[in-house]
Amino acid sequence: MAEARRLLTVVDNNMFANALIMSTLLEAFKYGNAPKLSDDQLALSVNFFEDFQDQNAAYNTSLMSFFTQYYDETVNYWHTGEENQVSLLQILKLIPMKFVEALLNGLAPDNLLKVLYTTLGEKALFQLTQYIPTDFDDTFVYMGVGSLLFEMRDQLKTGWELWSEDNTNITSVFDALKKYAYRPFSSDPNVNTIDPRSYFHMRKFLDQAQSEGSDIALVSTWTESIEEQRTLFYKGVIMPYLVNTVDVTVGADTIYGMTSLVLSGVVSQMF
């Protein structure tokens, strides 16, 4: 797959990789002997995030998407998607696949054929998962970046100033976190509906909580409800499998982002 991407020059940009790499470099400078990022490097990375902030909100928000956002004039709405990968899948429609399969069958190794068959078989699902809403995983990793920049603002002044200019309403993140939380014991289907796979790994925990009479609110993945999706589906903002999930990694990154904001002092600085 890596070789195919290289040969076809299919660029795969996302904010999550940028955020994790930037966090690693910042921490390596803070705790180790790594060199300090230059002002140009900081500006490139921080400004890159702007393409991933939710453009559909009627107010300034720090909610982030995994893929770049693009404006769709036909529906007057912004949606996400890795344009290069989507375009590559569209090209497959124009290729005489039977001929290509026969050619590869004689020339290519079996694993390359498996890649081709897998790509074709999952094309529809792959296209659907491109147009995802903003999410809490990317959002709170991004909050972690801001927290590191704030802690080192005397040494990384450019990075912190650029980040803070783009994030003047951090409360929007916490408002969304409460709005879209998974609440299994609620009577509202917008918050009590979850992907069956999520329920499967949580079922014993939820059963115990219910038997103890506890109320539960868990971090979900996507900033979209079932009711909102009924409209936004036709504008190109779609939860994969059309339902929200509870992911342990998303929860961990959310806790990381929240504690980083508090411990670094960003929350007291900006509220």
Side-chain angles (χ1 to χ4, degrees):
M1 291 297 291
E3 185 66 7
R5 284 172 182 256
R6 187 186 70 79
L7 291 172
L8 295 170
T9 320
V10 182
V11 179
D12 177 16
N13 283 331
N14 65 78
M15 73 79 52
F16 196 83
N18 184 50
L20 286 182
I21 293 170
M22 189 174 183
S23 295
T24 302
L25 293 174
L26 291 174
E27 288 183 346
F29 167 64
K30 180 181 179 181
Y31 299 114
N33 296 315
K36 182 177 75 170
L37 295 175
S38 68
D39 286 348
D40 287 343
Q41 290 171 321
L42 287 168
L44 281 171
S45 291
V46 177
N47 289 334
F48 179 74
F49 289 122
E50 293 177 0
D51 293 334
F52 301 85
Q53 282 185 295
D54 188 0
Q55 301 295 320
N56 293 311
Y59 49 85
N60 182 281
T61 179
S62 294
L63 292 174
M64 304 293 286
S65 62
F66 182 78
F67 291 120
T68 309
Q69 294 201 332
Y70 300 94
Y71 183 69
D72 188 341
E73 294 182 353
T74 60
V75 293
N76 190 31
Y77 213 73
W78 292 80
H79 64 74
T80 65
E82 183 43 75
E83 207 166 43
N84 290 325
Q85 295 187 46
V86 173
S87 299
L88 178 62
L89 290 174
Q90 295 298 329
I91 291 174
L92 292 176
K93 296 179 180 179
L94 307 176
I95 298 176
M97 295 310 302
K98 293 295 183 183
F99 172 76
V100 173
E101 287 180 37
L103 182 64
L104 289 177
N105 194 44
L107 300 176
D110 290 341
N111 60 342
L112 184 58
L113 283 174
K114 289 178 181 178
V115 169
L116 176 64
Y117 295 143
T118 300
T119 302
L120 291 173
E122 297 181 353
K123 183 172 64 175
L125 176 61
F126 181 78
Q127 286 179 297
L128 185 65
T129 57
Q130 287 286 300
Y131 304 111
I132 50 180
T134 54
D135 65 89
F136 293 114
D137 204 19
D138 291 290
T139 296
F140 278 99
V141 169
Y142 178 59
M143 293 295 103
V145 170
S147 300
L148 284 167
L149 290 171
F150 178 75
E151 287 181 316
M152 295 181 281
R153 60 193 180 280
D154 292 337
Q155 299 163 291
L156 305 173
K157 183 179 179 182
T158 297
W160 166 246
E161 288 182 348
L162 290 173
W163 192 93
S164 59
E165 287 173 5
D166 288 336
N167 296 276
T168 59
N169 185 25
I170 291 180
T171 53
S172 62
V173 170
F174 295 99
D175 291 340
L177 190 63
K178 291 183 286 187
K179 178 181 179 180
Y180 297 106
Y182 172 52
R183 303 176 188 273
F185 307 136
S186 169
S187 59
D188 182 359
N190 277 303
V191 295
N192 69 15
T193 305
I194 204 69
D195 190 308
R197 295 170 299 174
S198 295
Y199 176 77
F200 184 80
H201 79 74
M202 295 187 296
R203 66 194 188 285
K204 292 182 180 179
F205 168 75
L206 296 178
D207 288 344
Q208 181 179 346
Q210 188 174 35
S211 66
E212 295 172 353
S214 303
D215 193 15
I216 295 293
L218 299 174
V219 177
S220 62
T221 300
W222 311 110
T223 62
E224 188 172 85
S225 67
I226 296 292
E227 187 169 346
E228 289 170 344
Q229 186 172 237
R230 292 190 178 105
T231 300
L232 297 180
F233 180 93
Y234 300 100
K235 292 187 176 184
V237 182
I238 308 162
M239 291 185 287
Y241 301 102
L242 311 180
V243 68
N244 218 327
T245 64
V246 170
D247 185 292
V248 176
T249 305
V250 176
D253 285 338
T254 299
I255 293 172
Y256 158 73
M258 288 194 294
T259 53
S260 296
L261 288 172
V262 174
L263 295 175
S264 66
V266 173
V267 171
S268 59
Q269 169 78 10
M270 302 191 75
F271 295 129

